[in-house]
Amino acid sequence: MPKPHLPRLAIAGLAVVAALLVGAGVLLWDGGDTPSQPSIGGAFTLAGPDGKPVTDRDFRGRYMLVYFGYTTCPDVCPTTLSEMASALDKLGPKAARVQPLFITVDPARDTPAVMRQYTAAFSPRLEGLTGTPEQVKAVAQEYRVYYARHDTGPGPNEYSMDHSSVLYLMGPDGAFVAPLRADEDAAAMAADIAKHVS
Ligand code: NI
């Protein structure tokens, strides 16, 4: 008796289509520039270059240019940080309004001392932040940054970190202003920042 099954199949089909539409809708909504967009950023407590606690409130009154990565990253992080430093050089007087921050997703290896030495190679203005694994996890979640350890050998330090390469401009009140393209060159990045910084 196949006939009674047909409506059920149709209903099942509709349910699948509805689920797909909802899924697509959620994705569009998540990435869309709508008032209901979920917030990016928030309160954090991390460790600064001297190992002392640093919170988001320490940067109030300045824009924060936030990038997540790790110091042994082979290419994407150093390239992005280098463009970021050079973008700030091109920004002129507005650069004083912007605090560049590099937050590690590899707190086990990226101690405050390691971060300090690494960021100095790009710009004296770049501040490196690390923390406990829990602190790093919390800030990454707030900024919607994905990261995962990827073993490359048997040794305890033989691993790399997969991570999303996102660059955020946050306002003087700590609120999200705009995402920036992390793969832009310095001139384009400077123009992008200038648009948003008053
Ligand atoms: Ni990286």
Side-chain angles (χ1 to χ4, degrees):
M1 300 218 312
K3 267 198 176 167
H5 291 175
L6 279 174
R8 274 193 222 163
L9 276 176
I11 287 164
L14 281 174
V16 167
V17 169
L20 286 171
L21 285 173
V22 166
V26 164
L27 283 174
L28 287 171
W29 177 68
D30 198 33
D33 193 17
T34 59
S36 57
Q37 184 175 19
S39 66
I40 289 171
F44 61 76
T45 300
L46 292 164
D50 53 6
K52 289 183 184 148
V54 168
T55 78
D56 57 297
R57 292 182 301 282
D58 296 334
F59 303 105
R60 289 293 184 276
R62 278 176 289 167
Y63 290 79
M64 297 187 292
L65 185 58
V66 187
Y67 186 67
F68 288 80
Y70 67 113
T71 66
T72 44
C73 178
D75 47 29
V76 176
C77 290
T79 304
T80 306
L81 291 172
S82 166
E83 296 299 331
M84 191 169 136
S86 134
L88 289 172
D89 285 344
K90 293 178 192 298
L91 197 57
K94 279 185 176 180
R97 301 268 291 135
V98 182
Q99 174 62 56
L101 297 175
F102 180 49
I103 302 178
T104 185
V105 295
D106 183 16
R109 289 186 296 197
D110 289 344
T111 62
V114 168
M115 292 297 277
R116 199 167 60 232
Q117 192 182 5
Y118 186 75
T119 54
F122 296 95
S123 162
R125 297 200 52 230
L126 179 62
E127 189 163 324
L129 301 177
T130 183
T132 66
E134 292 74 23
Q135 287 172 330
V136 167
K137 188 179 171 193
V139 70
Q141 274 175 353
E142 285 178 340
Y143 280 82
R144 294 156 190 279
V145 170
Y146 157 85
Y147 65 101
R149 184 188 154 125
H150 179 80
D151 287 327
T152 54
N157 279 319
E158 288 181 277
Y159 65 91
S160 62
M161 299 297 292
D162 299 330
H163 67 97
S164 39
S165 181
V166 291
L167 192 52
Y168 293 115
L169 187 66
M170 311 299 287
D173 57 355
F176 171 70
V177 173
L180 299 177
R181 287 190 50 178
D183 59 349
E184 277 185 329
D185 67 17
M189 203 184 281
D192 215 358
I193 297 168
K195 255 190 330 203
H196 296 288
V197 172
S198 54

